[in-house]
Amino acid sequence: MPRIPTRPADTWSPLYFLASVGAGGLAVTFFMYLMFWIPHPGRSVPVSEDIAAALGAGSPLRTVAITLAAAGIAIFGAMNLYLLAWNLRRVGPFVASERGQSLGASNAQTQMMALPLALAMSVNVAFILGLVFVPGLWSVVEFLFPVALAAFLAIGALALRQLGGFLGRVIGSGGFDCKANNSFAQLLPAFSLAMVGVGLSAPGAMSGTTLTAGIAIIASTFFLVAAVVIAAVGMVLGIRSMLENGVAVEQAPTLMIVIPLMTVLGILLIRQDHGLHVHFESHGSAGDMLTMLTQFLSLELLFALFGVTVLRATGYIRRFISGSETSVGSYALICPGVALSVMMQFWINKGLVAAGLVARFGLAYWALTGIALAAQVAMIVLMLVLNRRHFGRAQLVASPAE
């Protein structure tokens, strides 16, 4: 019998888009170094000129941090774009295949919404790469914001079309299997809509043009509301099924999808708050921001504890991370850790420091930041482990001759 190479990634699934999303999220965690550790006066985000000025200041620790940040953004940004392209090449053949047709007639049809999720993440990553590595980008950024708005609206239209197709099928003719909905897999559409919304909110915080900022705030609010509604419905349906049938073991990582959803929506609200303050005389206090971020972080920690408890109870890590079995759903574990790291950074800097509870760069500051960095490092290790297991050297297996 001839022997052909196989590996888990050779049997493609829409959930492999989560590998691209995870890499993009890791690039964002490195951007947090620049966002909160180097000065960027007159701008809501750091750009290459700010980075060059900080390097010229001669502080050894800051130089190390900037070097690590630039390397991390470059490596994981490139990985994000590569994995996006790798996945896009497989969508067409999959949809036309028997497996694709079967998926489109089941609860798992919403897995295809990982596509707009990954597209929206990659647009955000491309913008970060431009800010960090393209000198002079900020001088033309007002011309780029309408392009970015158009791109995110196009991705949002794709997401809504996919969601509409799913809802039209299951509500119009039935067929949704409530018993098999024993996870939070149906929150993926909410995550996709939220990612579109946070991208749309960026010009609201960064643009100096009132019209551009206003359009961004209005458009992002629509996707914020849509994400919250879909998430609420998905959670109720999922919890009911899990209480009756137990959790679907391979989908157990979805129980922590609320964590990245909250981080994305939290950043969306922070951006809107800044835009409303600059352009529309809406003035929130440091206490208001601290309260909001603490609420979001508290919710994330609760779902982290919930998810870890279920993962331990089902032996998921022992089976699919360190054991001999593989599951593409394992990539859903990266986003929660990344999101928790990013939310910690915002809570520390935009919450505690801004409210005067913690001194910037003091002992307490670095102790708390160390938690965010530990989560980041853990997710980098997990990403490398999963990539090796799913994309690594193929294993030779026997195949019957035609």
Side-chain angles (χ1 to χ4, degrees):
M1 292 188 299
R3 298 166 70 83
I4 59 174
T6 63
R7 56 185 183 171
D10 291 333
T11 306
W12 189 80
S13 159
L15 293 182
Y16 273 112
F17 276 112
L18 296 180
S20 175
V21 175
L26 287 170
V28 173
T29 62
F30 282 100
F31 187 69
M32 294 295 99
Y33 296 12
L34 306 177
M35 181 76 177
F36 296 122
W37 298 352
I38 71 170
H40 43 93
R43 285 181 286 266
S44 55
V45 291
V47 298
S48 61
E49 288 79 4
D50 299 315
I51 297 169
L55 286 172
S59 170
L61 291 178
R62 182 173 288 175
T63 299
V64 171
I66 292 173
T67 303
L68 283 174
I73 291 168
I75 292 170
F76 289 104
M79 186 183 297
N80 164 263
L81 297 175
Y82 169 79
L83 288 171
L84 176 67
W86 181 86
N87 279 286
L88 288 175
R89 289 196 299 268
R90 285 154 177 80
V91 173
F94 175 80
V95 171
S97 69
E98 184 177 339
R99 288 180 59 239
Q101 296 296 320
S102 177
L103 179 139
S106 69
N107 290 10
Q109 181 182 356
T110 52
Q111 288 184 9
M112 287 302 300
M113 292 197 68
L115 166 58
L117 171 64
L119 289 173
M121 172 60 87
S122 291
V123 174
N124 285 314
V125 168
F127 190 67
I128 289 175
L129 290 170
L131 290 175
V132 175
F133 297 110
V134 180
L137 182 70
W138 198 256
S139 63
V140 297
V141 75
E142 291 296 342
F143 299 101
L144 298 178
F145 284 143
V147 177
L149 287 173
F152 281 114
L153 287 173
I155 297 170
L158 171 62
L160 291 172
R161 180 180 178 183
Q162 290 180 332
L163 180 59
F166 171 72
L167 294 176
R169 178 179 65 81
V170 299
I171 295 177
S173 59
F176 186 78
D177 189 348
C178 290
K179 183 177 180 180
N181 187 45
N182 49 341
S183 69
F184 281 169
Q186 296 304 322
L187 268 67
L188 181 60
F191 191 16
S192 297
L193 295 172
M195 189 65 73
V196 172
V198 78
L200 286 168
S201 68
M206 302 177 198
S207 177
T209 305
T210 300
L211 179 60
T212 301
I215 292 172
I217 291 171
I218 292 169
S220 61
T221 298
F222 171 82
F223 283 94
L224 164 67
V225 172
V228 170
V229 171
I230 296 299
V233 173
M235 286 182 64
V236 171
L237 292 175
I239 289 173
R240 182 198 176 281
S241 182
M242 283 187 285
L243 290 175
E244 182 177 350
N245 306 295
V247 68
V249 176
E250 280 202 55
Q251 297 179 23
T254 64
L255 300 184
M256 292 191 285
I257 196 174
V258 174
I259 300 174
L261 180 63
M262 289 298 101
T263 292
V264 169
L265 293 180
I267 295 172
L268 188 160
L269 290 172
I270 292 171
R271 289 174 169 178
Q272 286 189 344
D273 179 78
H274 183 75
L276 290 169
H277 170 74
V278 171
H279 295 283
F280 302 103
E281 300 182 4
S282 175
H283 306 293
S285 67
D288 293 333
M289 182 62 67
L290 174 63
T291 299
M292 184 190 77
L293 290 174
T294 302
Q295 291 169 347
F296 273 80
L297 181 60
S298 299
L299 190 58
E300 291 186 12
L301 291 174
L302 283 172
F303 273 93
L305 292 172
F306 172 51
V308 169
T309 299
V310 175
L311 289 175
R312 291 182 62 184
T314 58
Y316 186 92
I317 302 297
R318 185 174 62 254
R319 288 180 58 184
F320 299 105
I321 305 300
S322 59
S324 59
E325 299 178 78
T326 58
S327 171
V328 63
S330 299
Y331 278 102
L333 291 172
I334 297 174
C335 290
V338 164
L340 196 56
S341 175
V342 172
M343 179 54 74
M344 280 288 297
Q345 292 274 24
F346 274 96
W347 180 66
I348 294 165
N349 292 277
K350 292 289 188 180
L352 298 178
V353 173
L357 292 176
V358 169
R360 190 165 183 253
F361 301 149
L363 181 60
Y365 179 94
W366 287 117
L368 291 170
T369 300
I371 300 173
L373 298 181
Q376 178 195 30
V377 171
M379 292 306 101
I380 291 172
V381 172
L382 178 59
M383 183 77 183
L384 297 177
V385 168
L386 291 178
N387 283 350
R388 179 176 59 82
R389 290 173 67 90
H390 287 262
F391 295 93
R393 180 175 298 178
Q395 301 295 319
L396 290 178
V397 297
S399 173
E402 294 185 6

